[in-house]
Amino acid sequence: MESKNPLRHILALVIALIPLMYVALQWNTVPETVAVHFDIHGQADDYGSKKEMLLMAVFLSVTSLITYLVVINAHKLDKKRTKGVKPVMFDTIALATVLFISILNLTIIINSIYPGVVLLDKVVIPVIGLFFIFMGNVMYNIKPNRFVGIRVPWTLNNDENWKHTHRLGSKLFFVGGILIRLVSLGYEVEVSTIFMAGVVLIITITTVMYSYLYHRKSQNNNA
């Protein structure tokens, strides 16, 4: 793993392991049956053993670390597009992703142990909004690659398409993140959840359609 600051890797590892540390500290007091699924209102609607909760926590921690490793090494894994040079902000994006997944992981664990504590509207949705705002601030600067960004055939095959699509995506993510945060503060959890899903759907459809239309326009101009 290359980095000008090796301590970043240690920090990422510690952040990823915090949820598991919490489980270890609470293990003897965790009831044998815990909540393992929650509805749109943030209420527990399915239960399982505490071992299931542990497996989910381990899965998310491992996922966050794998994601971290892939992102910081994207320039090696996709030399064709990155030319072997690490894209700007990739270390920061990787660390932010680990932090994001770990917060969600810890929230799920706490909700599993204490199903009466609803954290969906207090933590999960606001954190997703903040992550969208963060991505909106860095997305415009992401260079073409196969691991981070809006990776559809038209952006991957054309650098100009990639640049223009990510400029649009940057604005949509930033505005979408702010709106998600505001709605989560002012409305009930079910409204916030539906609104967040709607924002994700709109951003996805808009960026993919924009990329496709830009591709078609480029084809017509070159015809």
Side-chain angles (χ1 to χ4, degrees):
M1 295 184 293
E2 295 178 3
S3 177
K4 294 180 179 179
N5 182 11
L7 290 177
R8 187 187 298 269
H9 305 320
I10 298 175
L11 179 59
L13 179 62
V14 171
I15 292 173
L17 292 179
I18 285 175
L20 299 183
M21 294 176 190
Y22 178 80
V23 172
L25 289 173
Q26 297 290 326
W27 189 253
N28 290 334
T29 60
V30 176
E32 290 300 321
T33 301
V34 297
V36 294
H37 190 269
F38 303 86
D39 60 22
I40 193 173
H41 307 287
Q43 301 292 336
D45 60 3
D46 192 17
Y47 294 83
S49 70
K50 64 180 185 179
K51 290 183 179 179
E52 290 181 57
M53 178 195 71
L54 176 60
L55 288 174
M56 177 59 70
V58 170
F59 172 78
L60 289 175
S61 291
V62 171
T63 298
S64 69
L65 288 175
I66 290 175
T67 301
Y68 178 82
L69 290 172
V70 169
V71 173
I72 66 173
N73 289 293
H75 61 298
K76 298 177 181 178
L77 300 172
D78 190 16
K79 290 184 178 180
K80 178 180 179 181
R81 289 174 175 79
T82 64
K83 298 178 176 60
V85 178
K86 182 180 290 186
V88 177
M89 291 296 292
F90 266 38
D91 280 349
T92 303
I93 291 172
L95 189 60
T97 302
V98 172
L99 179 61
F100 171 68
I101 296 175
S102 291
I103 291 174
L104 295 184
N105 194 6
L106 188 58
T107 302
I108 292 170
I109 292 167
I110 294 173
N111 255 173
S112 295
I113 299 174
Y114 308 104
V117 180
V118 180
L119 297 177
L120 182 60
D121 58 335
K122 298 181 182 66
V123 179
V124 176
I125 296 177
V127 166
I128 291 174
L130 287 175
F131 188 72
F132 272 46
I133 293 171
F134 166 76
M135 288 304 299
N137 275 304
V138 301
M139 182 171 286
Y140 72 94
N141 205 29
I142 296 175
K143 302 301 181 183
N145 70 96
R146 285 192 174 275
F147 300 100
V148 180
I150 303 167
R151 305 175 312 281
V152 292
W154 313 293
T155 56
L156 290 173
N157 292 327
N158 185 285
D159 287 355
E160 284 299 308
N161 192 316
W162 176 283
K163 181 173 71 175
H164 285 86
T165 299
H166 280 73
R167 283 180 179 175
L168 173 63
S170 178
K171 296 174 183 177
L172 293 176
F173 269 86
F174 185 78
V175 174
I178 291 176
L179 291 176
I180 289 171
R181 284 281 293 141
L182 292 175
V183 171
S184 70
L185 293 174
Y187 291 88
E188 297 296 327
V189 60
E190 56 267 25
V191 175
S192 300
T193 304
I194 293 172
F195 181 82
M196 179 185 66
V199 168
V200 172
L201 184 62
I202 289 171
I203 291 176
T204 301
I205 293 174
T206 302
T207 52
V208 171
M209 285 302 299
Y210 178 86
S211 177
Y212 173 71
L213 292 174
Y214 189 95
H215 165 71
R216 290 291 300 272
K217 182 179 179 181
S218 298
Q219 280 191 324
N220 291 335
N221 290 339
N222 292 331

